[in-house]
Amino acid sequence: MDEARENACNDMGKMLQFLLPVATQIQQDVIKAYGFSSDGEGVLKFARLIKSYESQDPEIASMSAKLKALFLPPMTLPPHGAGIGGVAAS
């Protein structure tokens, strides 16, 4: 996982190319022990279930956010009120 993250260099496209397949494989191996199928459909069912629990349980929401942070590069938002190219919109 660390090697895949290093290869991605915080680039979203590379994250999808290198990190996501590794993370998906790890997830497939883990979720089958909890009754989910270890294929893409099982991963999607697991993700939907976790998403539904996020609003009900702050601990699940926190763990989900930490897990997502491992797979996605940090996102920076443009300054408030900035238009295209960093020029303030009028």
Side-chain angles (χ1 to χ4, degrees):
M1 188 90 155
D2 290 334
E3 182 180 340
R5 188 178 296 111
E6 286 176 23
N7 288 334
C9 302
N10 279 337
D11 178 276
M12 182 60 83
K14 289 181 180 179
M15 286 282 208
L16 293 172
Q17 180 182 0
F18 297 119
L19 192 59
L20 190 60
V22 173
T24 300
Q25 184 60 52
I26 292 169
Q27 190 175 30
Q28 287 172 332
D29 293 344
V30 171
I31 65 172
K32 68 182 173 185
Y34 296 93
F36 293 90
S37 60
S38 62
D39 57 8
E41 186 176 332
V43 170
L44 291 175
K45 284 182 181 179
F46 176 75
R48 283 192 294 260
L49 186 62
I50 294 301
K51 186 73 174 163
S52 73
Y53 289 142
E54 286 177 0
S55 62
Q56 300 172 27
D57 188 323
E59 185 177 2
I60 291 175
S62 174
M63 289 188 304
S64 179
K66 289 176 186 175
L67 189 60
K68 287 175 189 169
L70 291 174
F71 305 133
L72 300 173
M75 300 286 286
T76 55
L77 298 174
H80 182 68
I84 297 173
V87 177
S90 54

